[in-house]
Amino acid sequence: MLRLATPADELAEQAVTERVFRRAGMRGGDTFVCADVGFPEIYEFYARAARALGVVRATYLHLNRDYRRSLEPIRRLAPDVFLTLPSLLARCWPHLRSVWPHGRSPIRSLIFMGEPMHAGLRREVAETLGCRVYSFYG
């Protein structure tokens, strides 16, 4: 993916991202995990914004068709904030929902981006993981 932007544009976009992350509850000391099937370059941008807020660990989790296996590290990572796409979350949800006991995940905030999330999935994620769900779409 090629992103053409001046340094000023990049810093302005990072400031917006930091504001969204802060409103979603991201704070110093947090562990931040991004999950996707590709384009890890954009997640370095998100990690940079998270580090500016004091996040101590930012990880890109590459998911593949074997969602159960590719999600295995998430238990050890114990993210406070989790960022992904709704369509990917829907596909890996049967596996993610069983990683921790109902309502007891370490995830405090789940942020979705890139596309809208179905209201039913949003409610189920919030209830099952015991977290708040935030949109960073549009």
Side-chain angles (χ1 to χ4, degrees), residues 101-120:
H102 187 87
R104 306 275 308 223
S105 83
I107 299 171
R108 187 177 64 251
S109 301
L110 186 141
I111 304 169
F112 66 90
M113 58 165 205
E115 56 197 34
M117 182 185 284
H118 186 275

Side-chain angles (χ1 to χ4, degrees), residues 10-23:
E10 190 78 6
L11 289 173
E13 190 174 340
Q14 182 176 329
V16 169
T17 301
E18 288 173 26
R19 193 167 41 252
V20 168
F21 285 177
R22 192 177 299 111
R23 286 182 182 163

Side-chain angles (χ1 to χ4, degrees), residues 3 10 13-14 17 40-50:
R3 294 179 70 221
E10 190 78 6
E13 190 174 340
Q14 182 176 329
T17 301
E41 299 83 8
I42 189 65
Y43 294 99
E44 175 50 38
F45 171 82
Y46 291 133
R48 188 172 67 234

Side-chain angles (χ1 to χ4, degrees), residues 52-97:
L53 297 178
V55 163
V56 294
R57 182 168 53 171
T59 303
Y60 171 75
L61 188 59
H62 179 88
L63 302 181
N64 58 44
R65 289 183 203 193
D66 187 351
Y67 296 115
R68 183 194 56 76
R69 186 170 183 196
S70 59
L71 275 171
E72 284 176 0
I74 202 161
R75 182 185 302 273
R76 264 186 341 275
L77 292 169
D80 300 288
V81 181
F82 185 63
L83 174 74
T84 194
L85 299 163
S87 56
L88 183 57
L89 179 62
R91 287 184 181 99
C92 71
W93 181 239
H95 306 287
L96 181 60
R97 70 176 300 152

